[in-house]
Amino acid sequence: MTANALLQMVAYFVFLVALAVPLGGYMARVYTHEAGVAQRGLGAVERCLYRLCGIRADEEMTWKRYAFSVLLFNAVGILAVYGLQRLQHFLPLNPVGLGAVSPEVSFNTAVSFASNTNWQAYAGETTLSYLTQMIGLTVQNFVSAATGMAVLVALIRGWTRRTTEGLGSFWVDLTRSTLYILLPLSLVLAIALVSQGVVQTLDPQATVSLLDPWATDAGEIITEQTIARGPAASQVAIKQLGTNGGGFYNVNSAHPLENPTPLSNFLQLLSILLIPAALCFTFGTLVKDKRQGWAIFAAMMLIFVPMTVLTVVAEQSGTPLLSSLGLHENMEGKEVRFGIVNSALWATATTAASNGSVNAMHDSFTPLGGMIPMVLMQLGEIVFGGVGSGLYGMLIYAIMAVFIAGLMVGRTPEYLGKKIEAFEMKMASLVILLPASAVLLGTAIACVLPAGTAPLGNPGIHGFSEILYAFSSGANNNGSAFGGLTVNGTFYSIGIGLCMLVGRYWVIIPVLAIAGSLAKKKTIPISVGTLPTHTPLFVLLLVATIILVGALTFIPALALGPVVEHLTLSNR
Amino acid sequence: MGTSTKNRQPVELLTTKAVVRAVTDAFKKLNPRHMAKNPVMFVVEVGSAFTSFLYIHAIITGRADAPPGFILAVSLCLWFTVLFANFAEAVAEGRGRAQTETLRKARKDIIAKRLKSPCPDIKRVAEHYAAYTEIFEKVASSILHAGDRVLVLAGDIIPADGEIEEGVASVDESAITGESAPVIRESGGDRSAVTGGTRVLSDWLLVRIATNPGETFLDRMIAMVEGAKRQKTPNEIALDILLAGLTIVFLLATATVLPYTLYAVASSGHGVPVPLTVLVALLVCLIPTTIGGLLSAIGIAGINRMMQANVLATSGRAVEAAGDVDVLLLDKTGTITLGNRQATAFFPAPGVSEAELADAAQLSSLADETPEGRSIVLLAKSKHDLADRDIQSLGAVFVPFTAQTRMSGVDFEGRCIRKGATDAIAKFVEAKGGTLSLTVRSVVEDIAKKGATPLVVADGARVIGVVQLKDIVKTGIRERFAEMRRIGIRTVMITGENPLTAAAIAAEAGVDDFLAEATPEAKLVMIRDYQQKGHLVAMTGDGTNDAPALAQADVAVAMNTGTQAAKEAANMVDLDSNPTKLLSIVEIGKQMLMTRGALTTFSIANDIAKYFAIIPAAFVVTYPELADLNVMQLHSPTTAVLSAVIFNALIIMALIPLALRGIPYRAAPASALLQHNILVYGLGGLVLPFPCIKLIDLVLTAIGVN
């Protein structure tokens, strides 16, 4: 790895921590209703919203009611986005007159945005109207992120409360997440991005004359270019902050109008991990033991940093094939204005967080460089992960680690004073089991059905990696695409749509069930007999648990994809 | 204290007879209905059956995706994996059975004398039994029900657990406790419970049977050890769920390999899909068979260890809870201090020498057979070399202690030596015209402040000094409490004494807290209070008035000498009636949980090596490039797969002793324990299989497998 690479990475992490720590503290105050200035400024809006919707601000929901509210809200969101796409040609703000989107792609897109996946079976600028993008997708970008944060806060309340059924109100958590956290941050980021040249307009596409006209193979002279425009900056801001990742343009943040400069790239890169990282500190503050938050953050970094280094090294080393051409680095599929380090850093950040936006094509990475993003998703999107969802997934792994380690100290395992018993283990197993099953089974079905193999861009080993990547991305709600696979057909639209549903809601329900069960328990006082969960040893144990479970589940599949591809390439 | 803490002899690990029985049981346990209780091993059994089917299919049709010999070898390894796991369980059960056997023998073939109808004058009947045989019926002890009344005469064996209604007798309880000295049992009070299988040595007892057939403590204990009624403990259930979850993940991870390789073969046009036998082998190696196979053995072994410590537990749940306990309520007397106060110092009055006081005190105590009296004689002897004198030859008259005078002493040669409580002696000397000086009073107060008891000695009208009686804290108990503190357990001393005395003893013994002037209600309140704060509380008790507190405590140990009510309310009974045993009980509970955790970690960590053995071997038929992952340089795909499954089976066998014995326990903070166990069982589990699998591979190669 070059000094340049090291410098860029260190700068990135320093900025990340410097911003995440104070933001984490602020978010904790949002959830404990002590948000100071923001609350004085926006409190009236909040109260007004509650009055409009008939919400009682002090309502306490049981976990079942909380889960029901989450599901209801998301179901309505899915229906709305589906409807907008199917009817967009009748609706305003469609200056180009785009037609209705097909039912399966509409289903896929609706689920994709409600589940915070933002898998794109559609091509943004040529499929969706401004209205669909703005009140369909952008709204979901906000509320799907806020849903994740609300579920996380409910889970944390499982630890902070004792002998109660109440986990707080979903509606209040949802509103406060959006109003006090996501909206202000997006506003700031959108303005910063506009300053860098990201477009923000409701005008239709622009037509410009080419300075240098050129001739096609058929002899036709091309003198004009049509440039797609639209309200991009506002959507890009929340796409990154809310770990959504659905680009305004089809090529996402590789597009010069979505991510024009190195500074816009750096800001977007920071905002990918900002909230997921900050939530670790929110967690620490809320459970009144900041060390716990740092421990979780450390565990995430301990997986993330080596993965990033591996990707950078893999891409900088290139392949024997490239070497034989006199090229030593793999620049295929990368923007020259970003280069290898920023592309590799983005690839790991976007897959570590369940963001999924890209600034380079992962399909063109070296086999090992492409495997790392895949692995990060297969770990369950818990290394930073989605906004809220990443941390609640991580806390489930912490429960797993505590269970095994806790026994080794001779006590019934407990985490943050709450006993981990059969019910928690049952739910935690579901959380880990279901997304992994969806990936493995989805890939298996795609492998044997012609509908699964036909849309492959590259048959053979790489094709297998493409399928595996697609299902890993969908079932873990990442949304990034390897590319090379045509996914707007019926099989992949429906198949990945179902995986996204499983990966999101069949995790949220057991997580809330755990929250409910924990809140009902007594808090066990801490003594020297208690397993400490803030020590480096526990952090290592947590990382080992994650890697081991992830590795054991996916090693066979990875061996038949990127690993064998790598060996084939290097043996050539 | 007369009771001994010596443990029952540990049952030998393996006798030939026990092994034969265990092997037979291992085969019997292959019954799928039994296996289904253990999801991990059930999957292995299904895998074994499936590969057997593949082998038969290959032999009959001649078509197979792997050589029939290989399929057979894998199939046999898998069957052995199941059998080894069953064997582990059977051995643990066998040891438990052997331990209960002696106890059970005691209660066979006892003919009880059951009263046909209530008898108004049982004393007379008992003393002239031969004349009254017609009012009894002779029945086998096995059909006695709760509420039946039986007469037990000298020489008879008590037919079942019960409560004494009438009579006093000396009872030999050695069959249960291993302690040969007989104990007195009598109706009423806290010594009225008798245990089936013990023998009445003198006098007679009328016993009301307390339990129905099959419901005694021992019956419950035996049922718990012997499979049929064994219930999984909460933590065992939680662990089972984790293991089942992992099994499903691995089932999917291996099952989906088949379509993946089908795709690979179709798209590359060469190679063959992975053989089914290899997939089953991979699955069995990945699922946590080591812990899955040993889980029930660990649980049974925990109960066995309790039994070895002479503690009967009514449920595995109680044994497990013992590991979680973080507050111990300990009775002062018998647990923390020796049963009785002892004289520890003489404080002479002004103008009196210490030797003179010692002499007077000894004289007054010569005929005093109470432990306090004996200790005064001994102290005088050791401090002032005053030999034990014979009160008869001195011509002295002993004046015994009465509740009215509250003092005792001797009258001889015109002297009236008395010792007793301060106010009693004050009254005594004042009656004779003397006074209790202020100096003596202040000595008395000083002694009381230290938590000891002052005993004032007077010779006629003259007060000659004070003897200090003190509770003697058991040797080594302070260290035990320090140990408890190190592992995060809080010790609380319970005593009926005043707060001043209690505080002094608490400080000396090194307990964390104390409850003085304790009443049964105060105990109950204290337990509830701790539980409310999230603590788990353990306590011992023997009296009927302890029953509510015992029922409330999370781990409640009743003394075997205690009342039936106390035993009913408790979830463990200590046959030695040694309250200090609570500390060992906690350790046994912790050790059981630790063994479970360590073997789980070990089992999962093993998987990495097995992957490195099987994955290259499994996929090399599809992608020859994957041979590069064969880091152990195993001889061939055949030997690689076989080495992994053989290791997987043998490791269960190798760990049976550890599962039964439990991993070594030491008192250390959780963080230190974790570090140690992760290093040994986590890292060890990661590394160990590599050399082992390689070794098996070398052996297989040497004997010509390829």
Side-chain angles (χ1 to χ4, degrees):
Chain A
M1 206 168 57
T2 58
N4 173 29
L6 202 63
L7 194 71
Q8 293 197 51
M9 283 167 59
V10 169
Y12 176 64
F13 292 127
V14 168
F15 272 93
L16 181 66
V17 175
L19 291 174
V21 174
L23 178 63
Y26 166 74
M27 287 194 288
R29 290 195 296 280
V30 168
Y31 294 114
T32 51
H33 297 250
E34 297 156 357
V37 180
Q39 205 156 322
R40 276 196 295 279
L42 295 168
V45 182
E46 187 189 356
R47 282 188 296 277
C48 179
L49 279 172
Y50 294 158
R51 249 198 307 279
L52 269 178
C53 307
I55 295 166
R56 270 188 20 241
D58 58 350
E59 188 183 355
E60 286 294 335
M61 296 181 172
T62 63
W63 80 262
K64 284 181 186 151
R65 188 163 171 75
Y66 204 103
F68 176 75
S69 308
V70 172
L71 295 180
L72 182 71
F73 180 73
N74 278 260
V76 170
I78 290 172
L79 279 178
V81 178
Y82 181 84
L84 276 170
Q85 291 174 91
R86 301 286 294 137
L87 302 173
Q88 66 177 1
H89 50 297
F90 299 126
L91 296 168
L93 281 179
N94 186 357
V96 194
L98 295 165
V101 186
S102 75
E104 57 269 22
V105 171
S106 298
F107 160 74
N108 184 291
T109 308
V111 170
S112 168
F113 277 75
S115 64
N116 197 251
T117 311
N118 304 40
W119 172 261
Q120 289 168 287
Y122 64 92
E125 64 272 39
T126 57
T127 319
L128 302 181
S129 73
Y130 290 170
L131 185 78
T132 310
Q133 293 251 20
M134 283 165 62
I135 73 162
L137 306 193
T138 309
V139 167
Q140 284 303 319
N141 278 350
F142 277 97
V143 294
S144 68
T147 299
M149 294 161 89
V151 172
L152 170 69
V153 172
L155 177 63
I156 294 175
R157 287 190 189 119
W159 278 291
T160 56
R161 297 185 174 185
R162 43 188 286 188
T163 53
T164 170
E165 299 256 326
L167 291 175
S169 160
F170 170 66
W171 308 116
V172 171
D173 294 334
L174 181 79
T175 310
R176 293 183 73 86
S177 301
T178 313
L179 192 62
Y180 293 120
I181 300 167
L182 295 171
L183 275 170
L185 283 176
S186 300
L187 184 68
V188 173
L189 182 63
I191 290 169
L193 289 177
V194 167
S195 79
Q196 292 301 303
V198 180
V199 293
Q200 177 73 12
T201 173
L202 288 179
D203 293 343
Q205 47 199 213
T207 306
V208 294
S209 312
L210 290 179
L211 296 174
D212 184 11
W214 57 290
T216 62
D217 294 342
E220 192 187 347
I221 307 293
I222 306 290
T223 57
E224 283 189 334
Q225 184 186 358
T226 308
I227 297 173
R229 295 187 300 184
S234 59
Q235 197 188 317
V236 171
I238 186 62
K239 136 190 148 183
Q240 305 298 31
L241 286 165
T243 60
N244 293 289
F248 189 82
Y249 294 100
N250 192 30
V251 294
N252 214 300
S253 284
H255 196 287
L257 293 186
E258 188 154 338
N259 185 12
T261 66
L263 182 59
S264 73
N265 191 67
F266 187 75
L267 289 175
Q268 291 192 28
L269 200 46
L270 262 184
S271 47
I272 288 176
L273 291 190
L274 181 62
I275 298 182
L279 281 171
C280 295
F281 305 111
T282 307
F283 164 68
T285 310
L286 288 177
V287 299
K288 300 204 168 53
D289 185 355
K290 291 193 177 162
R291 298 170 309 177
Q292 304 291 348
W294 277 99
I296 296 287
F297 179 75
M300 290 179 171
M301 287 296 273
L302 216 54
I303 299 176
F304 181 68
V305 174
M307 291 288 195
T308 310
V309 171
L310 276 177
T311 314
V312 171
V313 170
E315 293 309 300
Q316 287 189 334
S317 319
T319 64
L321 269 180
L322 288 168
S323 306
S324 67
L325 295 172
L327 299 167
H328 299 293
E329 297 188 326
N330 178 23
M331 272 300 289
E332 186 195 309
K334 299 185 179 66
E335 287 289 308
V336 281
R337 69 182 187 281
F338 303 135
I340 284 184
V341 177
N342 272 308
S343 302
L345 190 54
W346 188 297
T348 38
T350 196
T351 47
S354 81
N355 188 294
S357 64
V358 291
N359 72 351
M361 296 302 115
H362 297 179
D363 199 23
S364 301
F365 278 27
T366 60
L368 292 185
M371 181 173 83
I372 305 279
M374 212 184 306
V375 169
L376 280 167
M377 293 188 295
Q378 286 163 348
L379 292 181
E381 284 303 357
I382 51 161
V383 179
F384 296 109
V387 166
S389 64
L391 186 53
Y392 64 64
M394 186 56 135
L395 292 174
I396 298 302
Y397 264 99
I399 287 178
M400 282 276 176
V402 155
F403 185 78
I404 299 170
L407 283 178
M408 278 196 288
V409 305
R411 289 245 300 237
T412 303
E414 63 203 60
Y415 186 47
L416 303 175
K418 295 293 177 100
K419 268 198 175 173
I420 308 301
E421 291 167 298
F423 184 76
E424 288 77 27
M425 286 316 286
K426 203 181 285 175
M427 293 301 137
S429 298
L430 283 181
V431 169
I432 291 170
L433 188 65
L434 288 170
S437 310
V439 175
L440 291 171
L441 287 176
T443 310
I445 294 169
C447 276
V448 290
L449 288 185
T453 50
L456 281 174
N458 309 277
I461 304 171
H462 196 70
F464 177 74
S465 298
E466 287 170 356
I467 300 175
L468 183 61
Y469 193 103
F471 280 98
S472 301
S473 175
N476 290 296
N477 301 127
N478 180 284
S480 83
F482 215 30
L485 185 65
T486 313
V487 291
N488 58 6
T490 309
F491 176 77
Y492 283 103
S493 292
I494 303 288
I496 293 186
L498 291 176
C499 282
M500 292 188 288
L501 283 175
V502 169
R504 180 73 167 182
Y505 302 105
W506 280 107
V507 169
I508 284 184
I509 296 171
V511 163
L512 286 173
I514 290 178
S517 164
L518 290 177
K520 258 188 267 175
K521 298 186 186 205
K522 287 187 256 186
T523 306
I524 301 164
I526 292 170
S527 74
V528 288
T530 312
L531 173 83
T533 51
H534 60 267
T535 58
L537 182 67
F538 182 76
V539 170
L540 282 179
L541 189 81
L542 177 55
V543 169
T545 309
I546 293 164
I547 300 283
L548 209 62
V549 171
L552 293 177
T553 313
F554 290 104
I555 276 183
L558 291 171
L560 291 171
V563 173
V564 73
E565 195 182 349
H566 171 76
L567 292 172
T568 314
L569 272 180
S570 49
N571 285 354
R572 200 167 282 190
Chain B
M1 290 298 287
T3 52
S4 79
T5 53
K6 71 169 187 286
N7 288 352
R8 192 173 296 283
Q9 281 298 306
V11 177
E12 248 186 81
L13 186 54
L14 293 173
T15 60
T16 325
K17 203 176 137 212
V19 171
V20 171
R21 168 104 195 240
V23 170
T24 325
D25 283 354
F27 278 95
K28 279 188 199 152
K29 285 170 190 283
L30 287 177
N31 182 345
R33 250 181 304 174
H34 174 81
M35 296 299 297
K37 283 186 203 160
N38 183 339
V40 180
M41 295 319 292
F42 185 66
V43 169
V44 183
E45 189 177 37
V46 171
S48 314
F50 181 63
T51 46
S52 301
F53 166 76
L54 284 181
Y55 172 67
I56 295 166
H57 182 260
I59 295 295
I60 293 173
T61 63
R63 281 183 294 118
D65 53 3
F70 171 71
I71 302 178
L72 178 65
V74 170
S75 181
L76 285 177
C77 289
L78 301 192
W79 280 117
F80 273 108
T81 312
V82 183
L83 286 172
F84 287 168
N86 288 350
F87 179 73
E89 190 179 86
V91 169
E93 287 176 1
R95 296 180 78 199
R97 203 180 299 117
Q99 271 163 342
T100 46
E101 203 81 350
T102 38
L103 303 176
R104 184 152 49 174
K105 256 182 207 150
R107 56 182 47 202
K108 270 184 192 157
D109 308 326
I110 300 169
I111 299 300
K113 302 178 183 74
R114 182 165 70 183
L115 263 182
K116 284 181 186 163
S117 56
C119 167
D121 188 6
I122 193 70
K123 187 171 180 334
R124 193 183 152 80
V125 170
E127 279 159 9
H128 306 91
Y129 173 69
Y132 292 96
T133 46
E134 78 283 356
I135 67 163
F136 293 97
E137 53 190 347
K138 296 206 166 177
V139 295
S141 58
S142 54
I143 60 160
L144 286 174
H145 280 75
D148 285 353
R149 286 172 174 77
V150 295
L151 180 68
V152 190
L153 300 175
D156 286 354
I157 289 174
I158 297 172
D161 293 358
E163 190 85 7
I164 298 172
E165 286 222 318
E166 270 185 64
V168 186
S170 63
V171 179
D172 170 13
E173 295 192 338
S174 58
I176 300 290
T177 62
E179 175 63 40
S180 56
V183 292
I184 301 296
R185 293 274 175 247
E186 58 189 320
S187 60
D190 286 350
R191 305 178 72 81
S192 62
V194 286
T195 313
T198 55
R199 183 185 295 269
V200 172
L201 294 178
S202 68
D203 306 286
W204 55 271
L205 295 172
L206 180 69
V207 176
R208 185 164 41 82
I209 302 302
T211 50
N212 286 318
E215 286 176 10
T216 63
F217 233 85
L218 198 60
D219 288 317
R220 275 188 272 174
M221 187 90 189
I222 292 168
M224 208 167 43
V225 172
E226 290 188 339
K229 280 192 190 157
R230 190 166 62 234
Q231 291 201 333
K232 288 180 179 171
T233 61
N235 175 263
E236 223 175 328
I237 293 169
L239 187 54
D240 249 347
I241 290 168
L242 173 70
L243 298 182
L246 286 174
T247 305
I248 297 172
V249 168
F250 294 137
L251 191 64
L252 283 168
T254 44
T256 50
V257 163
L258 188 64
Y260 298 169
T261 53
L262 283 173
Y263 164 84
V265 172
S267 70
S268 67
H270 59 79
V272 291
V274 60
L276 287 176
T277 313
V278 174
L279 275 187
V280 175
L282 178 62
L283 172 65
V284 170
C285 284
L286 290 184
I287 60 177
T289 47
T290 313
I291 179 66
L294 295 173
L295 191 55
S296 57
I298 295 170
I300 302 169
I303 297 166
N304 287 351
R305 275 196 296 279
M306 284 286 180
M307 258 197 284
Q308 255 172 43
N310 266 352
V311 176
L312 298 184
T314 42
S315 68
R317 182 190 281 260
V319 180
E320 195 173 279
D324 279 351
V325 158
D326 56 359
V327 174
L328 299 186
L329 300 190
L330 301 162
D331 275 326
K332 186 204 78 177
T333 309
T335 311
I336 296 171
T337 62
L338 297 172
N340 308 296
R341 291 166 224 268
Q342 298 197 347
T344 52
F346 295 115
F347 295 94
V352 180
S353 75
E354 195 180 319
E356 191 186 338
L357 170 62
D359 181 57
Q362 195 190 42
L363 278 172
S364 73
S365 306
L366 282 176
D368 183 357
E369 286 300 328
T370 63
E372 285 91 348
R374 296 306 307 155
S375 74
I376 293 175
V377 173
L378 288 175
L379 184 71
K381 190 172 167 184
S382 66
K383 278 192 123 173
H384 298 281
D385 205 21
L386 296 166
D388 208 344
R389 287 158 286 185
D390 180 20
I391 190 160
Q392 242 82 53
S393 60
L394 289 172
V397 181
F398 178 58
V399 182
F401 178 90
T402 67
Q404 282 79 41
T405 60
R406 291 191 296 136
M407 54 187 186
S408 65
V410 286
D411 290 340
F412 85 116
E413 294 171 4
R415 291 170 73 185
C416 301
I417 304 174
R418 294 288 184 277
K419 65 174 199 291
T422 317
D423 49 342
I425 294 291
K427 220 188 271 169
F428 174 75
V429 293
E430 273 156 22
K432 290 190 179 265
T435 55
L436 195 63
S437 72
L438 282 176
T439 333
V440 174
R441 277 191 191 277
S442 77
V443 169
V444 163
E445 272 164 28
D446 284 348
I447 291 173
K449 252 182 230 159
K450 280 189 285 182
T453 311
L455 207 57
V456 184
V457 182
D459 189 351
R462 192 165 68 109
V463 173
I464 56 173
V466 188
V467 180
Q468 173 181 286
L469 291 178
K470 235 182 114 177
D471 264 314
I472 303 298
V473 171
K474 283 187 176 176
T475 46
I477 201 85
R478 203 184 160 85
E479 289 71 28
R480 287 302 286 278
F481 290 154
E483 213 172 79
M484 289 291 134
R485 197 167 308 117
R486 219 163 30 242
I487 58 173
I489 294 177
R490 205 175 154 76
T491 45
V492 182
M493 183 182 84
I494 308 288
T495 173
E497 313 236 24
N498 64 64
L500 206 64
T501 314
I505 299 167
E508 192 182 341
V511 292
D512 297 306
D513 198 0
F514 65 87
L515 177 67
E517 288 165 356
T519 57
E521 296 74 38
K523 264 197 225 183
L524 190 60
V525 168
M526 187 171 205
I527 293 174
R528 288 217 176 112
D529 206 38
Y530 271 118
Q531 286 173 336
Q532 196 57 44
K533 289 182 198 146
H535 293 280
L536 256 79
V537 183
M539 70 168 286
T540 57
D542 51 8
T544 301
N545 58 10
D546 283 332
L550 284 168
Q552 180 73 31
D554 301 285
V555 172
V557 184
M559 300 294 103
N560 196 42
T561 53
T563 59
Q564 196 64 35
K567 287 189 198 174
E568 294 279 321
N571 46 24
M572 290 186 200
V573 171
D574 178 18
L575 298 176
D576 293 336
S577 302
N578 173 8
T580 319
K581 193 72 75 57
L582 199 49
L583 306 180
S584 317
I585 290 173
V586 169
E587 283 173 10
I588 292 171
K590 282 198 178 297
Q591 195 186 23
M592 184 174 77
L593 290 173
M594 281 162 67
T595 307
R596 243 182 235 162
L599 290 184
T600 306
T601 311
F602 184 83
S603 188
I604 298 172
N606 268 310
D607 279 1
I608 295 289
K610 293 182 212 160
Y611 257 136
F612 275 104
I614 296 191
I615 292 280
F619 297 157
V620 84
V621 289
T622 317
Y623 292 119
E625 294 88 347
L626 283 169
D628 282 12
L629 295 182
N630 185 1
V631 288
M632 283 180 270
Q633 296 293 312
L634 302 178
H635 178 68
S636 71
T638 307
T639 60
V641 173
L642 284 179
S643 306
V645 286
I646 290 173
F647 170 80
N648 197 49
L650 289 183
I651 195 73
I652 296 182
M653 224 30 188
L655 290 174
I656 291 177
L658 186 68
L660 296 188
R661 209 175 48 231
I663 68 169
Y665 172 83
R666 63 202 178 95
S671 50
L673 284 176
L674 181 64
Q675 190 166 355
H676 175 264
N677 288 336
I678 283 185
L679 219 57
V680 175
Y681 301 98
L683 209 59
L686 205 64
V687 176
L688 181 77
F690 283 96
C692 290
I693 290 175
K694 178 69 186 170
L695 191 71
I696 297 171
D697 181 71
L698 288 176
V699 172
L700 286 177
T701 315
I703 62 171
V705 181
N706 50 47

